[in-house]
Amino acid sequence: MQGDDMTESKLGILCDLYSDIVPRSQESESFYLEILVACHGSLNAAVEMINESLGVCRFPNGLQLRKRKYDGSEESKGVRKIQRSLNYFITDSNNRIRAVSDNSGGKISSNPIELFTKEDIEANVKYITFHRNALPEPLADSLLQHLVQDEDNFTPNQFHLFGKKCTSNHLTKMFSSNEDILLGRSKIYYNSYTRTNVAKYDDDLKMAQLLIEDQVNETIAKQDPQPFQIRCPDWRGDVVLVNRYDRDSNLDWHSDRMTSIGPQPIIASLSLGCVREFRVRRTYPANSQVYVLRPPHNTLMIMHAGFQEEYKHCVHAGPKNATLEQHPISKDIRINLTYRCYLQTYLRNCPTCTKCGSSMDLRRAFKDPKTRGQYLWQCSRGYKGEDCDGVKRADFQNECLTVRNYKEQGSRWLAPDDNEARNAQKVGT
Ligand SMILES: O=C(O)CCC(=O)C(=O)O
Ligand SMILES: [Fe+2]
């Protein structure tokens, strides 16, 4: 084959390989050409770069790829540059999901916007960082294998919706390496229920804990801390809730409860196996933009301080009978490990309701801009649909975690970009 023909055929291969994500056009072809030139004509290297950028693992027939990792090298900087440029070509042919590059002027679109790259995710969703290839590959694969095979004590979650008791359609199991929790000396309180049956970390989980703790602590050390968050190096991953989804299961919109993990919690979420849509949106206004993320196998998403206060998230229920891209180890099963750092102050000093003696849940007011930002303890019976409206203002500087008298000012936090609440409350920026 002549040089030009060879380039043409490589271009054709690239166009075909990604045609469902990047629609074929003159522009996308010339962009692939740029990538090929940057890779000195190597189809193998071009495919690796594009795979990395799009978070997919595809290869043309007969081509073997090795796994790459961002490592700060020139080559890996190239991937970042390509990520930025690729976004301009990505649209969804059914217009169901739009690429962020289509979202001119930052207006709210009624269609969810898909975010493909680390750069786009971190630029559009505040308080999230996205880390591909979080664990060494053999460890991620082994964790997935074990958790898919583990049949013991994976149970549906119980929760309440509009006062009605509901059961999740996905399964969960809690693990810990903390002796107090394993022996029941510290109670884990999750979704207003005490979580018994906490299993002990095996060697893989223990290794993952250490690596994820390092990753989270290193990441938070580089950021300006929020007022109530845990600081580096104190974030711990000694408790994990494992979520298991099959093709028919999902998780509805929610923010994680702060009751035992405190305000502005940092939650690390590791995705393994089959890729599912993880959706996020601001808690307010009601029509806030929905973004779609698709964390591939072995991706760590760190939900930083402020995320639970300002955003909701869900694992989207795809259309019935939709075909999911099968993962080589887990087929259509997705495993998610959600690490929450439980805090002794909150485990021990959680207030009880003065009206009925029940436990209380920590919440942050957000609906009314006049009171948005105030942290409150609310009677958990209310959440369960029972009749108690007990409420206390939270004060995190105080041993009891509450103000002495409801009229006193308690702890509060407004997001730096929340001008609506600042105006309503006439507070400075
Ligand atoms: O599976 C996921 O990615 C999310 C899990 C989650 O949101 C939770 O456990 O609270
Ligand atoms: Fe969650």
Side-chain angles (χ1 to χ4, degrees):
M1 242 195 280
Q2 294 289 304
D4 276 0
D5 289 350
M6 245 159 58
T7 310
E8 277 301 308
S9 98
K10 286 176 189 169
L11 275 178
I13 292 172
L14 291 178
C15 288
D16 287 348
L17 196 58
Y18 303 106
S19 60
D20 57 325
I21 306 176
V22 183
R24 205 172 179 136
S25 70
Q26 255 184 351
E27 280 168 311
S28 62
E29 270 190 38
S30 59
F31 184 66
Y32 286 137
L33 185 60
E34 264 182 57
I35 297 176
L36 274 171
V37 172
C39 295
H40 308 291
S42 159
L43 181 62
N44 193 330
V47 168
E48 283 187 18
M49 262 196 186
I50 300 168
N51 277 349
E52 190 86 54
S53 310
L54 294 177
V56 294
C57 180
R58 298 185 179 175
F59 44 92
N61 289 344
L63 199 68
Q64 284 298 321
L65 296 179
R66 71 200 149 85
K67 273 264 182 195
R68 302 171 66 255
K69 213 171 157 37
Y70 284 131
D71 53 9
S73 65
E74 281 310 306
E75 205 188 5
S76 112
K77 280 184 204 144
V79 173
R80 284 168 202 274
K81 196 163 142 222
I82 286 171
Q83 285 186 337
R84 224 173 302 138
S85 317
L86 262 176
N87 271 302
Y88 289 96
F89 302 111
I90 299 168
T91 48
D92 175 55
S93 49
N94 304 323
N95 251 343
R96 194 172 59 85
I97 293 175
R98 296 156 25 116
V100 68
S101 45
D102 299 346
N103 189 30
S104 49
K107 288 199 211 87
I108 294 178
S109 155
S110 55
N111 290 325
I113 293 180
E114 178 142 13
L115 301 171
F116 288 89
T117 66
K118 174 178 172 71
E119 260 186 1
D120 271 349
I121 292 165
E122 294 179 4
N124 286 279
V125 185
K126 297 213 164 68
Y127 319 106
I128 274 220
T129 53
F130 196 81
H131 311 260
R132 293 183 203 275
N133 301 314
L135 300 178
E137 203 178 313
L139 176 59
D141 291 352
S142 161
L143 261 178
L144 175 61
Q145 185 94 56
H146 285 134
L147 291 168
V148 167
Q149 283 167 352
D150 182 352
E151 297 292 334
D152 279 352
N153 296 322
F154 266 93
T155 51
N157 245 353
Q158 290 187 321
F159 61 98
H160 277 80
L161 206 58
F162 307 116
K164 273 183 68 184
K165 192 168 177 181
C166 305
T167 306
S168 75
N169 61 15
H170 78 299
L171 301 178
T172 65
K173 178 170 173 178
M174 198 157 241
F175 292 85
S176 178
S177 57
N178 177 316
E179 284 292 305
D180 284 340
I181 290 170
L182 288 169
L183 295 173
R185 287 197 293 254
S186 282
K187 291 250 176 314
I188 292 292
Y189 189 62
Y190 184 76
N191 270 355
S192 290
Y193 290 94
T194 308
R195 202 71 204 210
T196 48
N197 242 343
V198 181
K200 195 173 174 174
Y201 276 17
D202 63 10
D203 289 348
D204 282 351
L205 280 168
K206 190 73 206 161
M207 181 57 76
Q209 174 189 344
L210 300 177
L211 294 168
I212 286 171
E213 281 175 352
D214 284 352
Q215 174 98 275
V216 171
N217 281 311
E218 273 167 28
T219 309
I220 62 180
K222 290 187 208 134
Q223 300 181 336
D224 288 335
Q226 302 288 355
F228 305 120
Q229 76 165 69
I230 294 177
R231 308 287 168 101
C232 168
D234 294 337
W235 189 89
R236 288 183 326 275
D238 57 356
V239 183
V240 71
L241 182 80
V242 177
N243 293 295
R244 186 153 86 191
Y245 304 87
D246 65 20
R247 50 175 302 128
D248 300 322
S249 41
N250 69 299
L251 180 58
D252 286 330
W253 285 108
H254 68 282
S255 299
D256 290 9
R257 303 243 147 188
M258 299 184 281
T259 306
S260 320
I261 55 178
Q264 299 188 326
I266 297 165
I267 296 173
S269 162
L270 177 71
S271 295
L272 298 175
C274 182
V275 179
R276 294 285 301 266
E277 281 185 21
F278 180 85
R279 295 188 166 203
V280 301
R281 66 187 303 167
R282 283 305 268 249
T283 319
Y284 56 90
N287 67 342
S288 59
Q289 181 65 56
V290 174
Y291 291 101
V292 177
L293 285 57
R294 291 178 202 267
H297 175 59
N298 198 12
T299 297
L300 184 70
M301 274 191 305
I302 308 181
M303 300 184 239
H304 290 276
F307 185 79
Q308 304 307 329
E309 279 89 345
E310 289 286 295
Y311 282 85
K312 289 176 189 218
H313 54 280
C314 72
V315 177
H316 185 61
K320 276 259 172 287
N321 302 325
T323 35
L324 293 172
E325 204 167 312
Q326 304 269 302
H327 186 274
I329 297 174
S330 67
K331 308 277 184 292
D332 54 15
I333 295 194
R334 171 174 182 265
I335 297 282
N336 168 263
L337 290 89
T338 307
Y339 291 88
R340 296 179 177 81
C341 181
Y342 285 83
L343 299 173
Q344 286 307 320
T345 331
Y346 291 86
L347 288 169
R348 296 220 175 97
N349 304 328
C350 223
T352 44
C353 178
T354 9
K355 289 192 175 170
C356 74
S358 301
S359 58
M360 301 190 94
D361 278 324
L362 180 58
R363 292 168 181 275
R364 173 180 170 262
F366 68 88
K367 283 198 183 117
D368 180 353
K370 290 204 183 83
T371 51
R372 187 177 300 150
Q374 286 180 4
Y375 288 92
L376 303 168
W377 292 98
Q378 220 172 44
C379 178
S380 59
R381 283 183 63 206
Y383 170 75
K384 291 180 183 160
E386 293 162 27
D387 194 18
C388 183
D389 58 1
V391 63
K392 295 181 187 187
R393 276 210 174 134
D395 176 6
F396 309 128
Q397 324 305 334
N398 173 328
E399 269 277 285
C400 314
L401 301 175
T402 57
V403 296
R404 275 174 299 273
N405 163 346
Y406 190 84
K407 295 214 170 64
E408 278 176 60
Q409 176 79 259
S411 296
R412 56 191 281 285
W413 174 72
L414 283 180
D417 57 354
D418 189 354
N419 293 327
E420 182 192 30
R422 271 168 221 289
N423 288 335
Q425 298 177 27
K426 303 260 180 316
V427 290
T429 45

